[in-house]
């Protein structure tokens, strides 16, 4: 199913940076998932780490209300075994994302003219394993009509008026590029003109495939693959206003949002794993392969965006349509411009060690 390379059993002492890491920070993030697991369950991952297999660790974490670095390290070593993904260095790949901040208005004004939308009532999720006739199997969302499910309007159609007059505008922003990158990140913290704060998160998407406009700029020679970043893409959009819309519309995927509770301001938004993200400790993994709350140690010797080599225990608490594969991860760096600068510069090979509940062997393990 997952091909090569396989998962290889390892000792914790084999993991570079394991002993020096702040396990208490990772435990704090893991305990959030453990508390949520007492209220609901989530789907198993195809790699064999299931919700039920995590229950002993969840139960122990709920009892252990606080843990210092050493106690937290003992917690992970006593409840999990380490499995390395791949025989060769750099078998995994890591990017990063963040929660943007922006000014916004509840109403359209001369200054605030670019909307973020709520989910339309006729936009529905297609049940897994039951593709809609006439739509590509990759479509997971579609528009419901009297004649059945059909393709929803895409980014270009929506931005040229397809949803006008339906009252779906959640908030209005000043800069269309802010709107676009909020779509890419999937969440935002908004400072409203009336002095209030609003946190928005993903509600639905149009169903069209996501196209990375940065990749298109590299393929056409507009930007250098070695130096591409979110800021470089933003700068290109500002320098080329006459070409901006055509490039942005090449990403047909369109995101719809809902208002979420503000929650703990020190943490990020509530993500797909049903908990607020912990900056520098929450990571998005391939949801079809990994169960939420799976711990994974990521080592990126060349990740200069963090100011030093990145060797850290992370907790799988989110997912994303571009995060595909056993050793593919997207690190949540935090909220605001500084976090965005870091996130936009992270694109690096990495080594992955998954922490698997004791007694469980991941699918694809070396025999």
């Amino acid at each position: 199913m997952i091909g090569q390379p396989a998962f290889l059993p390892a000792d914790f002492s084999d993991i570079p940076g394991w002993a020096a890491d702040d396990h208490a920070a990772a435990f704090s993030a893991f305990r959030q998932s453990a508390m949520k697991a007492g209220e609901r369950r989530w789907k198993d991952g195809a790699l064999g780490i299931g919700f039920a297999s995590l229950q002993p660790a969840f139960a122990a974490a709920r009892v252990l209300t606080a843990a210092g670095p050493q106690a937290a390290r003992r917690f992970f070593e006593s409840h999990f075994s380490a499995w390395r993904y791949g025989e060769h260095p750099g078998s995994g790949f890591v990017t990063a994302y963040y929660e943007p901040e922006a000014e916004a208005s509840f109403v359209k004004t001369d200054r605030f003219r670019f909307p973020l939308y709520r989910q339309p009532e006729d936009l529905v999720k297609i049940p897994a394993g039951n593709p809609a006739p006439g739509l590509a199997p990759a479509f997971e969302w579609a528009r419901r009509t009297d004649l059945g499910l059909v393709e929803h309007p895409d980014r270009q159609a929506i931005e040229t008026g397809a949803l006008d007059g339906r009252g779906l505008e959640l908030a209005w922003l000043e800069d269309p590029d802010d709107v676009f990158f909020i779509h890419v990140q999937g969440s935002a913290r908004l400072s409203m003109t009336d002095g209030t704060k609003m946190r928005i998160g993903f509600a639905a998407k149009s169903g069209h495939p996501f196209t990375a406009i940065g990749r298109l700029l590299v393929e056409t020679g507009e930007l250098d693959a070695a130096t591409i970043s979110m800021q470089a893409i933003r700068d290109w959009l500002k320098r080329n206003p006459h070409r901006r819309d055509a490039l942005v519309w090449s990403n047909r995927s369109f995101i719809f949002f809902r208002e979420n509770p503000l929650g703990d301001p020190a943490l990020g938004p509530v993500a797909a794993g049903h908990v607020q993200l912990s900056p520098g400790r929450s990571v998005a993994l391939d949801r079809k392969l990994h169960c939420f709350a799976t711990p994974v140690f990521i080592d990126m010797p060349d990740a200069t965006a963090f100011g030093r080599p990145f060797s850290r225990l992370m907790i799988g608490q989110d997912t994303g349509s571009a995060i595909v594969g056993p050793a593919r991860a997207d690190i949540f760096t935090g909220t605001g411009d500084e976090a965005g600068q870091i996130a936009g510069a992270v694109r690096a090979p990495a080594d992955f060690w998954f922490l698997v509940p004791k007694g469980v062997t991941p699918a694809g393990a070396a025999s």
Side-chain angles (χ1 to χ4, degrees), residues 306-318:
F306 294 95
R308 56 189 177 278
F310 187 97
S311 295
R312 198 176 296 182
L313 180 60
M314 312 293 291
I315 309 299
Q317 296 178 315
D318 202 2

Side-chain angles (χ1 to χ4, degrees), residues 49-301:
I49 304 171
F51 183 81
S53 69
L54 288 164
Q55 289 306 309
F58 287 155
R62 288 193 288 266
V63 173
L64 189 61
T65 57
Q70 291 305 312
R73 177 180 172 180
R74 288 193 297 271
F75 169 85
F76 287 111
E77 290 180 352
S78 63
H79 288 91
F80 296 92
S81 299
W83 292 76
R84 176 173 177 152
Y85 182 80
E87 296 182 82
H88 305 292
S91 294
F93 189 74
V94 174
T95 51
Y97 68 115
Y98 75 111
E99 181 186 36
E101 289 183 309
E103 288 187 86
S105 171
F106 285 112
V107 296
K108 185 178 182 180
T109 70
D110 289 342
R111 176 184 172 192
F112 296 98
R113 299 182 294 116
F114 302 97
L116 296 165
Y117 288 96
R118 298 180 182 87
Q119 178 180 352
E121 291 184 1
D122 58 357
L123 176 60
V124 297
K125 185 78 179 287
I126 300 174
N130 188 26
L135 292 180
F139 271 71
E140 297 180 344
W141 298 83
R143 186 166 69 90
R144 183 180 56 227
T145 72
D146 292 340
L147 299 178
L149 296 178
V150 300
E151 186 174 305
H152 193 274
D154 66 2
R155 178 175 299 279
Q156 180 176 356
I158 293 170
E159 293 188 352
T160 54
L163 299 181
D164 287 0
R166 296 179 60 177
L168 296 171
E169 295 85 1
L170 182 63
W172 298 83
L173 274 65
E174 180 178 13
D175 188 339
D177 293 344
D178 284 344
V179 170
F180 179 78
F181 284 101
I182 287 172
H183 278 228
V184 173
Q185 302 301 318
S187 64
R189 190 183 297 183
L190 304 179
S191 296
M192 309 305 295
T193 54
D194 66 358
T196 61
K197 300 285 187 180
M198 179 191 289
R199 217 164 197 167
I200 61 168
F202 174 91
K205 56 186 177 180
S206 63
H208 301 91
F210 174 84
T211 299
I213 64 171
R215 176 175 54 79
L216 296 181
L217 290 172
V218 169
E219 289 176 351
T220 56
E222 299 283 346
L223 293 178
D224 185 352
T227 59
I228 191 170
S229 67
M230 182 180 65
Q231 190 57 51
I233 298 171
R234 276 183 172 273
D235 291 344
W236 188 95
L237 295 174
K238 294 302 182 189
R239 292 195 312 270
N240 297 274
H242 59 296
R243 300 168 63 191
R244 177 203 178 276
D245 286 349
L247 177 66
V248 168
W249 290 342
S250 68
N251 177 20
R252 299 182 66 201
S253 177
F254 193 90
I255 305 299
F256 300 91
F257 298 91
R258 62 165 61 94
E259 183 175 359
N260 287 332
L262 288 173
D264 185 342
L267 299 177
V270 174
H274 315 293
V275 298
Q276 281 189 263
L277 299 174
S278 297
R281 291 292 169 174
S282 295
V283 67
L285 300 173
D286 187 335
R287 183 62 192 89
K288 294 179 180 179
L289 300 179
H290 301 287
C291 186
F292 286 134
T294 295
V296 54
F297 194 96
I298 297 176
D299 181 48
M300 288 189 292

